[in-house]
């Protein structure tokens, strides 16, 4: 046999061996297939429609009714300028809201394209993922927010996993340097925002920016990134949480590291439990354990997860926008909080002996999100995958609307679930890989 023939025989045997290792799943996972089909179609539709604008899809513009906000916030009246600023014009209402590359959500659309490509093998999605990731290149020079982790890790971070090159690595490192530039040694935390009247605001969302630092620490071998991430997580653990493991949204510090104020920005009131904040928390501490093996983080993530499962009382496991919001027919649920929680709990389920309860809960969330109640019909929903999230109700912004980060974490959760169950899409079919 000449060399070419030998290679062909080897290729054929490997192909047959691989094919024989695949079976149809015994359980009914048609909801996963449905979710992936909708995601691929919607993302491609959005990518085509947004092409050439230099912007990215963020949400759909919704209006709000002041009386509804007062009822949800249990206040007699509201006079806040942020909500008025967010009220869309009649022409904007119901239309896609785009964002620029410096918006905190800019990384989610490219990130969703990367996940959808990874899960389906569709090369069009890969080409679009590259195109929209490249749009974010100037973010490497930006220093004005802690959201750099969201922006770059979800876009370039996935690019580095799936199609690495030196430019991607450089963007990740430069952005991580800029994020570390916001770390204050006396306070032991990374500053979140540069607006407002707080002295040094840190929001629970900031836990999500640590994955960028962990990834760059691994890529460069420089532990300074990891050390800052760990210090931030510890400081947040000490100051952001109540005895019942719910958390405040904003904690601002004095320069000596003492606490200046504990408040909310997007929740019902300062002492309420804003649903997405609780989701950011369980995700963040689960990631910290993955990266450090420090059981302090694992034990903390477990406490938050148990609190979430105890506090969310909805039949479909999709939380209301704030756990303390008055529950009425009109109270909106937040699919984004649910998708972040599902992704975190799938990972957490692999870290503890009684992990099945977290995996089951995450599966319940994912089935709800993949049902007609939340999953869009192809061609509807302005190209977004999921419906019914809440951005910032107290600020009258993005109430009961799709959000690009709900879509991103939904796909990430599907990916984590599929990996755990050894599921893969092969020739358009869901298969179990033995
Ligand atoms: N990081 C802002 C939010 O969760 O809405």
């Amino acid at each position: 046999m000449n060399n070419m023939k030998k290679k062909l025989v080897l290729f054929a045997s490997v192909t047959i061996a691989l094919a024989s290792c695949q079976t149809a799943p015994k359980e009914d996972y048609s909801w996963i297939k449905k979710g992936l089909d909708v995601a691929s179609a919607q993302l491609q539709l959005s990518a085509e429609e947004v092409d050439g604008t230099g912007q990215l899809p963020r949400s759909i513009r919704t209006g709000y009714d002041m009386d509804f906000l007062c009822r949800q916030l249990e206040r007699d009246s509201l006079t806040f300028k942020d909500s008025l600023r967010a009220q869309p014009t009649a022409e904007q209402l119901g239309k896609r809201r785009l964002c620029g590359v410096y918006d905190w959500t800019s990384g989610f659309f490219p990130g969703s394209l990367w996940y959808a490509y990874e899960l389906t093998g569709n090369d069009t999605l890969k080409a679009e993922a590259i195109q929209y990731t490249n749009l974010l290149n100037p973010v490497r020079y930006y220093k004005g927010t802690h959201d750099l982790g969201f922006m770059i890790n979800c876009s370039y971070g996935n690019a580095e996993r799936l199609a690495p090159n030196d430019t991607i690595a450089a963007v990740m490192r430069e952005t991580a340097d800029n994020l570390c530039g916001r770390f204050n040694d006396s306070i032991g935390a990374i500053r979140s925002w540069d607006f407002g009247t707080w002295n040094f605001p840190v929001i629970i969302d900031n836990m999500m920016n640590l994955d960028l630092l962990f990834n760059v620490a691994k890529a460069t071998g420089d532990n300074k990134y990891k050390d800052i991430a760990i210090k931030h997580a510890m400081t947040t653990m000490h100051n952001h949480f109540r005895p019942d493991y719910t958390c405040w949204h904003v904690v601002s510090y004095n320069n000596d590291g003492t606490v200046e104020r504990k408040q909310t920005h997007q929740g019902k009131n300062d002492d309420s439990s804003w649903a997405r904040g609780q989701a950011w928390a369980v995700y963040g501490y689960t990631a910290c354990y993955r990266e450090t093996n420090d059981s302090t983080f694992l034990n903390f993530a477990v406490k938050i997860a148990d609190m979430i499962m105890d506090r969310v009382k909805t039949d479909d496991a999709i939380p209301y926008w704030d756990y303390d919001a008055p529950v009425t027919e009109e109270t909106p649920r937040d699919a984004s909080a649910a998708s972040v929680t599902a992704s975190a709990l799938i990972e957490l389920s692999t870290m503890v002996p009684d992990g099945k309860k977290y995996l089951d809960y995450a599966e319940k969330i994912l089935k709800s999100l993949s049902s007609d109640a939340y999953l869009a019909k192809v061609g509807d929903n302005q190209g977004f995958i999921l419906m019914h999230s809440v951005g910032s109700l107290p600020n009258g912004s993005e109430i009961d609307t799709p959000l690009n980060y709900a879509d991103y974490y939904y796909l990430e959760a599907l990916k984590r679930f599929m990996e755990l169950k050894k599921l893969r899409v092969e020739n358009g079919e869901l298969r179990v890989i033995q």
Side-chain angles (χ1 to χ4, degrees):
M1 240 192 304
N2 66 25
N3 262 351
M4 185 55 142
K5 274 194 184 152
K6 273 189 199 156
K7 275 186 192 159
L8 280 174
V9 170
L10 184 66
F11 177 74
S13 345
V14 170
T15 311
I16 291 165
L18 279 179
S20 62
C21 289
Q22 297 175 17
T23 51
K26 289 197 185 70
E27 278 151 86
D28 178 10
Y29 289 130
S30 52
W31 54 273
I32 296 180
K33 184 70 177 50
K34 184 176 148 203
L36 291 180
D37 287 347
V38 169
S40 302
Q42 293 290 82
L43 289 167
Q44 285 179 74
L45 193 112
S46 298
E48 282 162 25
E49 288 185 1
V50 171
D51 191 17
T53 63
Q55 295 189 296
L56 305 109
R58 173 175 162 142
S59 65
I60 295 180
R61 290 196 190 269
T62 54
Y64 62 89
D65 174 82
M66 221 30 150
D67 293 338
F68 160 73
L69 296 191
C70 285
R71 287 193 295 276
Q72 282 295 297
L73 298 169
E74 296 187 306
R75 289 169 58 173
D76 294 336
S77 63
L78 289 169
T79 48
F80 46 98
K81 53 185 183 317
D82 279 352
S83 65
L84 300 173
R85 201 164 53 223
Q87 187 74 290
T89 62
E91 201 189 310
Q92 290 173 324
L93 211 58
K95 304 260 172 59
R96 184 188 280 124
R97 177 181 176 187
L98 298 176
C99 67
V101 298
Y102 299 110
D103 186 273
W104 81 272
T105 72
S106 64
F108 296 120
F109 182 66
S112 294
L113 288 164
W114 281 116
Y115 278 143
Y117 156 64
E118 186 177 10
L119 293 174
T120 63
N122 180 332
D123 283 328
T124 306
L125 288 164
K126 182 181 182 184
E128 287 162 344
I130 293 170
Q131 178 192 334
Y132 283 94
T133 297
N134 284 339
L135 260 190
L136 269 64
N137 194 282
V139 177
R140 68 202 289 182
Y141 308 113
Y142 188 47
K143 299 179 178 169
T145 178
H146 70 132
D147 289 320
L148 296 170
F150 277 120
M151 295 148 86
I152 292 301
N153 198 50
C154 299
S155 54
Y156 278 88
N158 280 305
E160 187 165 60
R161 265 188 334 104
L162 298 169
N165 65 39
D166 289 348
T167 307
I168 295 170
V171 171
M172 297 276 287
R173 200 192 56 246
E174 288 166 27
T175 310
D177 283 335
N178 289 336
L179 185 55
C180 288
R182 299 180 67 81
F183 180 74
N184 180 308
D185 217 14
S186 315
I187 294 170
I190 297 167
R191 183 186 181 106
S192 292
W193 293 329
D194 290 350
F195 62 85
T197 57
W198 302 282
N199 182 58
F200 190 97
V202 177
I203 62 172
I204 191 62
D205 324 30
N206 205 340
M207 288 298 300
M208 301 297 286
N209 293 309
L210 305 185
D211 265 334
L212 173 73
L213 302 183
F214 288 130
N215 284 338
V216 171
K218 280 182 281 190
T220 59
D222 186 343
N223 268 338
K224 119 182 148 193
Y225 302 102
K226 184 173 177 178
D227 293 343
I228 285 180
I230 292 171
K231 183 70 189 157
H232 179 93
M234 292 305 286
T235 302
T236 301
M237 185 187 283
H238 287 131
N239 294 312
H240 253 85
F241 289 84
R242 310 178 183 117
D244 65 358
Y245 297 97
T246 61
C247 62
W248 279 277
H249 183 194
V250 188
V251 174
S252 178
Y253 295 90
N254 298 304
N255 292 345
D256 62 0
T258 54
V259 170
E260 181 200 26
R261 279 187 265 168
K262 297 187 178 192
Q263 289 186 313
T264 196
H265 186 61
Q266 286 165 244
K268 175 175 172 279
N269 51 265
D270 289 344
D271 294 326
S272 73
S273 299
W274 173 51
R276 197 163 51 256
Q278 315 314 306
W280 293 145
V282 72
Y283 190 113
Y285 284 101
T286 304
C288 283
Y289 176 66
R290 180 216 311 130
E291 301 296 337
T292 62
N293 272 322
D294 181 341
S295 59
T296 313
F297 292 132
L298 179 62
N299 296 337
F300 205 63
V302 162
K303 296 286 189 197
I304 303 167
D306 291 346
M307 175 279 295
I308 291 175
M309 288 166 57
D310 181 50
R311 289 289 306 276
V312 176
K313 303 286 187 205
T314 51
D315 290 345
D316 58 8
I318 312 300
Y320 293 112
W321 70 279
D322 189 298
Y323 295 175
D324 299 299
V327 176
T328 66
E329 289 282 295
E330 64 180 358
T331 310
R333 285 169 163 80
D334 181 12
S336 76
S339 62
V340 172
T341 301
S343 186
L345 293 200
I346 295 166
E347 182 163 55
L348 185 62
S349 78
T350 65
M351 298 167 166
V352 287
D354 60 346
K356 188 175 178 305
K357 67 179 180 189
Y358 300 121
L359 186 60
D360 289 348
Y361 190 81
E363 183 171 349
K364 181 173 176 176
I365 291 177
L366 285 178
K367 280 182 174 164
S368 296
L369 294 178
S370 306
S371 75
D372 291 344
Y374 294 92
L375 189 69
K377 298 255 177 299
V378 172
D380 289 355
N381 207 34
Q382 298 285 349
F384 292 95
I385 303 165
L386 297 178
M387 306 179 276
H388 306 310
S389 290
V390 174
S392 183
L393 188 140
N395 295 297
S397 176
E398 297 177 321
I399 301 167
D400 194 15
T401 191
L403 290 170
N404 57 12
Y405 40 102
D407 291 358
Y408 176 86
Y409 290 103
Y410 170 66
L411 286 173
E412 184 182 86
L414 284 182
K415 169 181 139 60
R416 289 179 170 183
F417 187 84
M418 288 170 69
E419 279 172 0
L420 218 56
K421 300 283 181 184
K422 296 189 169 50
L423 295 167
R424 208 158 71 190
V425 176
E426 291 287 338
N427 300 319
E429 294 299 323
L430 209 55
R431 312 290 291 174
V432 185
I433 312 297
Q434 304 295 336

